[in-house]
Amino acid sequence: MLTVKRLFTSILLATPLVAQAAPTIYAQASKGSFNDAALHQLLQKKPELKANIIFSGTPLNTYMQAEKHDGVAFTAIANSTIKGKLVSATVKAIEQYKVTKPIAFITTPIDMCAFMNKQDVKEKLPVKAIASHPAALAEVSEWNKNLKATEIAVPQGTAYAAKEVSLHKLPQGTAAVGSCVLNEIYPNLVKIGTNIQDNKSNRTSFMLTELSKRAQPISESQAKVELQQIIKTEKNNNKDII
């Protein structure tokens, strides 16, 4: 006759172990953004990191959501065109959250594409306006010299501009400017221009990390030193990081 202890042990041995689910990835920006494209490249290279993805807007909100829900955060940390290279919004987030365990890094070129609504393309309408985040519009000024298209600033971001164009909520003849995967998110878009950014060597480094909330925020200069040290340490293993 089995004792209770031996019976319990037998049940444990007979029960298959269930693999623990990977922590949710909270990603900066939105679906269809440059961050989205970079994250998917990272997950293709490191499929063991694949998990549920929740886009969370700013780096600060991304860190907040990841810490609150025991997830991990994916944000841009450096860009080759920025003076000092560090992404200021991520520095601000690090003032309040400490990077406890960097998990992975990836550096990608920032290739920009232009898209129009399928109906506009079918009707062979010329590009009369370009819509995107102000920072993205500033990066395609050379491409727009020949078009002389009106610029429509969309502070909500490049993906939001693409959505508006796909739904014909902006004037006919408007092209959305953003990452080259936007037509995968909004199939009503047609790609009309590739690699249209002024700076062909524009690159951004991204980091996937665990983090914790600080008891007290640190200064901007301290946050910069912390992020610079993280990048310096990673450069020993990954020469491609900015």
Side-chain angles (χ1 to χ4, degrees), residues 87-220:
V87 175
S88 59
T90 300
V91 171
K92 280 290 181 188
I94 290 176
E95 290 177 25
Q96 297 188 42
Y97 292 86
K98 182 175 180 61
V99 172
T100 56
K101 183 183 177 182
I103 300 168
F105 296 81
I106 187 169
T107 298
T108 65
I110 301 300
D111 295 328
M112 292 188 176
C113 290
F115 305 86
M116 287 184 76
N117 185 285
K118 279 184 178 180
Q119 188 61 35
D120 288 1
V121 173
K122 185 177 180 180
E123 295 178 12
K124 299 182 180 179
L125 296 179
V127 178
K128 299 177 182 177
I130 55 175
S132 194
H133 187 277
L137 291 175
E139 283 293 321
V140 296
S141 58
E142 289 298 318
W143 177 73
N144 193 29
K145 272 186 178 179
N146 292 329
L147 293 175
K148 295 181 174 59
T150 302
E151 293 186 356
I152 301 176
V154 183
Q156 297 94 326
T158 56
Y160 188 88
K163 181 180 179 180
E164 294 291 282
V165 170
S166 74
L167 296 174
H168 250 161
K169 289 189 175 181
L170 294 176
Q172 283 188 306
T174 298
V177 172
S179 78
C180 296
V181 299
L182 284 167
N183 57 328
E184 297 176 17
I185 311 302
Y186 304 109
N188 204 36
L189 295 177
V190 175
K191 191 179 294 183
I192 62 163
T194 59
N195 202 28
I196 63 174
Q197 69 276 6
D198 296 344
N199 187 340
K200 305 302 182 185
S201 60
N202 184 356
R203 299 187 306 144
T204 296
S205 291
F206 300 83
M207 174 176 65
L208 181 69
T209 185
E210 294 179 5
L211 41 81
S212 62
K213 182 86 164 84
R214 297 184 189 275
Q216 293 292 333
I218 60 175
S219 67
E220 180 182 357

